[in-house]
Short mmCIF file of all heavy atoms in Angstrom, two decimals:
data_model
loop_
_atom_site.label_atom_id
_atom_site.label_comp_id
_atom_site.label_asym_id
_atom_site.label_seq_id
_atom_site.Cartn_x
_atom_site.Cartn_y
_atom_site.Cartn_z
N GLY W 123 27.04 -25.99 -4.04
CA GLY W 123 28.38 -26.30 -4.51
C GLY W 123 29.39 -25.46 -3.74
O GLY W 123 29.07 -24.85 -2.72
N VAL W 124 30.61 -25.42 -4.23
CA VAL W 124 31.68 -24.72 -3.52
C VAL W 124 31.75 -23.28 -4.03
O VAL W 124 32.40 -22.98 -5.03
CB VAL W 124 33.04 -25.43 -3.68
CG1 VAL W 124 34.12 -24.70 -2.90
CG2 VAL W 124 32.93 -26.88 -3.20
N GLY W 125 31.03 -22.39 -3.33
CA GLY W 125 31.04 -20.97 -3.65
C GLY W 125 31.81 -20.20 -2.60
O GLY W 125 32.55 -20.78 -1.80
N PRO W 126 31.68 -18.87 -2.57
CA PRO W 126 32.43 -18.04 -1.61
C PRO W 126 32.18 -18.42 -0.16
O PRO W 126 33.11 -18.44 0.65
CB PRO W 126 31.91 -16.62 -1.90
CG PRO W 126 31.40 -16.67 -3.30
CD PRO W 126 30.86 -18.05 -3.50
N ARG W 127 30.95 -18.73 0.19
CA ARG W 127 30.63 -19.09 1.57
C ARG W 127 31.31 -20.42 1.94
O ARG W 127 31.91 -20.54 3.01
CB ARG W 127 29.13 -19.18 1.74
CG ARG W 127 28.68 -19.40 3.16
CD ARG W 127 27.19 -19.13 3.34
NE ARG W 127 26.38 -19.68 2.27
CZ ARG W 127 25.63 -18.95 1.43
NH1 ARG W 127 25.60 -17.64 1.53
NH2 ARG W 127 24.92 -19.53 0.49
N GLU W 128 31.21 -21.39 1.05
CA GLU W 128 31.82 -22.69 1.33
C GLU W 128 33.35 -22.59 1.38
O GLU W 128 33.99 -23.26 2.20
CB GLU W 128 31.40 -23.70 0.26
CG GLU W 128 29.94 -24.13 0.35
CD GLU W 128 28.97 -23.11 -0.25
OE1 GLU W 128 29.45 -22.14 -0.90
OE2 GLU W 128 27.75 -23.27 -0.08
N ARG W 129 33.93 -21.75 0.52
CA ARG W 129 35.39 -21.59 0.55
C ARG W 129 35.83 -21.00 1.88
O ARG W 129 36.88 -21.37 2.42
CB ARG W 129 35.85 -20.73 -0.62
CG ARG W 129 35.82 -21.46 -1.95
CD ARG W 129 36.60 -20.72 -3.02
NE ARG W 129 35.93 -19.49 -3.42
CZ ARG W 129 35.03 -19.42 -4.40
NH1 ARG W 129 34.69 -20.51 -5.05
NH2 ARG W 129 34.48 -18.27 -4.73
N ARG W 130 35.04 -20.08 2.44
CA ARG W 130 35.38 -19.51 3.75
C ARG W 130 35.31 -20.58 4.84
O ARG W 130 36.16 -20.63 5.72
CB ARG W 130 34.42 -18.35 4.06
CG ARG W 130 34.61 -17.75 5.44
CD ARG W 130 36.01 -17.23 5.67
NE ARG W 130 36.19 -16.78 7.04
CZ ARG W 130 37.32 -16.87 7.71
NH1 ARG W 130 38.41 -17.40 7.14
NH2 ARG W 130 37.40 -16.43 8.95
N VAL W 131 34.32 -21.46 4.76
CA VAL W 131 34.22 -22.57 5.72
C VAL W 131 35.46 -23.45 5.63
O VAL W 131 36.05 -23.83 6.65
CB VAL W 131 32.95 -23.41 5.46
CG1 VAL W 131 32.96 -24.68 6.31
CG2 VAL W 131 31.71 -22.59 5.74
N LEU W 132 35.88 -23.76 4.42
CA LEU W 132 37.06 -24.60 4.23
C LEU W 132 38.32 -23.91 4.76
O LEU W 132 39.22 -24.58 5.32
CB LEU W 132 37.23 -24.95 2.76
CG LEU W 132 36.11 -25.84 2.17
CD1 LEU W 132 36.29 -25.98 0.66
CD2 LEU W 132 36.11 -27.21 2.83
N GLU W 133 38.41 -22.60 4.61
CA GLU W 133 39.55 -21.86 5.17
C GLU W 133 39.59 -21.99 6.69
O GLU W 133 40.66 -22.19 7.27
CB GLU W 133 39.46 -20.38 4.78
CG GLU W 133 39.75 -20.09 3.33
CD GLU W 133 39.51 -18.63 2.98
OE1 GLU W 133 39.13 -17.86 3.89
OE2 GLU W 133 39.69 -18.27 1.80
N ILE W 134 38.44 -21.88 7.32
CA ILE W 134 38.37 -22.02 8.78
C ILE W 134 38.80 -23.42 9.20
O ILE W 134 39.61 -23.59 10.13
CB ILE W 134 36.95 -21.70 9.29
CG1 ILE W 134 36.64 -20.21 9.09
CG2 ILE W 134 36.80 -22.09 10.76
CD1 ILE W 134 35.20 -19.84 9.39
N LEU W 135 38.28 -24.43 8.52
CA LEU W 135 38.63 -25.80 8.87
C LEU W 135 40.11 -26.08 8.64
O LEU W 135 40.76 -26.78 9.43
CB LEU W 135 37.79 -26.78 8.05
CG LEU W 135 36.28 -26.75 8.33
CD1 LEU W 135 35.55 -27.68 7.37
CD2 LEU W 135 35.97 -27.12 9.77
N ASP W 136 40.66 -25.52 7.59
CA ASP W 136 42.08 -25.70 7.31
C ASP W 136 42.94 -25.06 8.40
O ASP W 136 43.98 -25.61 8.79
CB ASP W 136 42.42 -25.10 5.94
CG ASP W 136 43.85 -25.40 5.53
OD1 ASP W 136 44.21 -26.59 5.48
OD2 ASP W 136 44.61 -24.44 5.27
N ALA W 137 42.49 -23.92 8.91
CA ALA W 137 43.24 -23.24 9.97
C ALA W 137 43.10 -23.96 11.31
O ALA W 137 44.05 -24.03 12.09
CB ALA W 137 42.77 -21.80 10.10
N GLU W 138 41.91 -24.52 11.58
CA GLU W 138 41.63 -25.12 12.89
C GLU W 138 42.11 -26.57 13.00
O GLU W 138 42.40 -27.05 14.09
CB GLU W 138 40.14 -25.05 13.20
CG GLU W 138 39.61 -23.65 13.37
CD GLU W 138 40.28 -22.92 14.51
OE1 GLU W 138 40.69 -23.58 15.50
OE2 GLU W 138 40.40 -21.70 14.42
N GLN W 139 42.14 -27.29 11.87
CA GLN W 139 42.56 -28.69 11.87
C GLN W 139 41.82 -29.51 12.94
O GLN W 139 42.44 -30.07 13.86
CB GLN W 139 44.07 -28.79 12.07
CG GLN W 139 44.90 -28.23 10.94
CD GLN W 139 44.75 -29.04 9.66
OE1 GLN W 139 45.03 -30.24 9.63
NE2 GLN W 139 44.31 -28.40 8.59
N PRO W 140 40.50 -29.59 12.88
CA PRO W 140 39.76 -30.34 13.90
C PRO W 140 40.05 -31.84 13.82
O PRO W 140 40.40 -32.38 12.77
CB PRO W 140 38.30 -30.04 13.55
CG PRO W 140 38.32 -29.76 12.08
CD PRO W 140 39.62 -29.06 11.82
N ASP W 141 39.86 -32.51 14.97
CA ASP W 141 39.99 -33.97 15.00
C ASP W 141 38.79 -34.65 14.37
O ASP W 141 38.89 -35.76 13.86
CB ASP W 141 40.12 -34.45 16.45
CG ASP W 141 41.31 -33.83 17.16
OD1 ASP W 141 42.42 -33.88 16.60
OD2 ASP W 141 41.12 -33.29 18.27
N LEU W 142 37.65 -33.97 14.44
CA LEU W 142 36.38 -34.57 14.03
C LEU W 142 35.50 -33.48 13.43
O LEU W 142 35.43 -32.37 13.96
CB LEU W 142 35.69 -35.18 15.26
CG LEU W 142 34.24 -35.65 15.16
CD1 LEU W 142 34.16 -36.90 14.29
CD2 LEU W 142 33.68 -35.93 16.56
N ILE W 143 34.83 -33.78 12.31
CA ILE W 143 33.88 -32.85 11.70
C ILE W 143 32.50 -33.51 11.72
O ILE W 143 32.35 -34.67 11.28
CB ILE W 143 34.27 -32.50 10.25
CG1 ILE W 143 35.62 -31.78 10.22
CG2 ILE W 143 33.18 -31.62 9.61
CD1 ILE W 143 36.14 -31.52 8.81
N VAL W 144 31.51 -32.79 12.23
CA VAL W 144 30.13 -33.30 12.21
C VAL W 144 29.26 -32.30 11.45
O VAL W 144 29.44 -31.09 11.55
CB VAL W 144 29.59 -33.54 13.63
CG1 VAL W 144 30.45 -34.57 14.34
CG2 VAL W 144 29.52 -32.27 14.45
N VAL W 145 28.31 -32.82 10.70
CA VAL W 145 27.36 -32.00 9.93
C VAL W 145 25.97 -32.37 10.40
O VAL W 145 25.50 -33.49 10.17
CB VAL W 145 27.50 -32.24 8.42
CG1 VAL W 145 26.59 -31.29 7.64
CG2 VAL W 145 28.95 -32.08 7.96
N THR W 146 25.29 -31.42 11.07
CA THR W 146 24.00 -31.74 11.68
C THR W 146 22.82 -31.36 10.76
O THR W 146 21.92 -30.63 11.14
CB THR W 146 23.87 -31.06 13.05
OG1 THR W 146 24.25 -29.69 12.95
CG2 THR W 146 24.74 -31.74 14.08
N GLY W 147 22.86 -31.90 9.54
CA GLY W 147 21.69 -31.87 8.67
C GLY W 147 21.53 -30.66 7.78
O GLY W 147 22.18 -29.64 7.94
N ASP W 148 20.64 -30.82 6.81
CA ASP W 148 20.24 -29.78 5.85
C ASP W 148 21.41 -29.27 5.01
O ASP W 148 21.68 -28.07 4.94
CB ASP W 148 19.54 -28.61 6.56
CG ASP W 148 18.05 -28.85 6.72
OD1 ASP W 148 17.61 -29.99 6.48
OD2 ASP W 148 17.34 -27.90 7.10
N SER W 149 22.05 -30.19 4.32
CA SER W 149 23.07 -29.77 3.35
C SER W 149 22.43 -29.37 2.03
O SER W 149 22.97 -28.54 1.30
CB SER W 149 24.07 -30.90 3.11
OG SER W 149 24.85 -31.12 4.26
N LEU W 150 21.29 -29.97 1.70
CA LEU W 150 20.60 -29.63 0.45
C LEU W 150 20.14 -28.18 0.44
O LEU W 150 19.73 -27.63 1.47
CB LEU W 150 19.39 -30.54 0.25
CG LEU W 150 19.66 -31.94 -0.28
CD1 LEU W 150 18.39 -32.77 -0.22
CD2 LEU W 150 20.18 -31.90 -1.71
N ALA W 151 20.17 -27.59 -0.74
CA ALA W 151 19.80 -26.17 -0.89
C ALA W 151 18.34 -26.01 -1.24
O ALA W 151 17.98 -25.38 -2.23
CB ALA W 151 20.67 -25.50 -1.95
N GLY W 152 17.46 -26.60 -0.45
CA GLY W 152 16.04 -26.41 -0.70
C GLY W 152 15.59 -27.08 -1.98
O GLY W 152 16.28 -27.92 -2.56
N TYR W 153 14.42 -26.71 -2.46
CA TYR W 153 13.89 -27.29 -3.69
C TYR W 153 14.78 -26.89 -4.87
O TYR W 153 15.12 -25.74 -5.06
CB TYR W 153 12.46 -26.83 -3.92
CG TYR W 153 11.51 -27.33 -2.85
CD1 TYR W 153 10.96 -26.45 -1.92
CD2 TYR W 153 11.21 -28.68 -2.75
CE1 TYR W 153 10.12 -26.91 -0.93
CE2 TYR W 153 10.37 -29.15 -1.75
CZ TYR W 153 9.82 -28.26 -0.84
OH TYR W 153 9.00 -28.71 0.14
N GLY W 154 15.16 -27.90 -5.63
CA GLY W 154 16.07 -27.66 -6.74
C GLY W 154 17.51 -27.93 -6.39
O GLY W 154 18.35 -28.06 -7.29
N GLY W 155 17.83 -28.01 -5.10
CA GLY W 155 19.19 -28.37 -4.70
C GLY W 155 19.45 -29.84 -5.00
O GLY W 155 18.54 -30.67 -5.00
N THR W 156 20.72 -30.17 -5.26
CA THR W 156 21.05 -31.55 -5.64
C THR W 156 22.09 -32.14 -4.70
O THR W 156 22.89 -31.42 -4.09
CB THR W 156 21.60 -31.60 -7.07
OG1 THR W 156 22.90 -30.97 -7.10
CG2 THR W 156 20.67 -30.89 -8.05
N TYR W 157 22.07 -33.45 -4.61
CA TYR W 157 23.07 -34.14 -3.80
C TYR W 157 24.46 -34.01 -4.42
O TYR W 157 25.46 -34.04 -3.71
CB TYR W 157 22.68 -35.60 -3.63
CG TYR W 157 21.63 -35.81 -2.56
CD1 TYR W 157 20.28 -35.82 -2.87
CD2 TYR W 157 22.00 -35.97 -1.23
CE1 TYR W 157 19.32 -36.01 -1.89
CE2 TYR W 157 21.05 -36.15 -0.23
CZ TYR W 157 19.71 -36.16 -0.58
OH TYR W 157 18.76 -36.33 0.42
#
């Protein structure tokens, strides 16, 4: 979910304003992680 680490990522993206965002896999948090 959106915790301290994810909030820092969002801060970086907000500052950089990229044209394109790509996510190269493994968003799930291992066993027990949910979509």
Side-chain angles (χ1 to χ4, degrees):
V124 182
R127 186 165 44 242
E128 289 79 10
R129 285 194 290 271
R130 175 58 186 147
V131 171
L132 294 173
E133 288 174 1
I134 292 172
L135 295 175
D136 186 56
E138 295 299 329
Q139 294 293 302
D141 301 310
L142 170 70
I143 298 174
V144 299
V145 185
T146 48
D148 273 11
S149 292
L150 280 172
Y153 295 110
T156 69
Y157 280 93

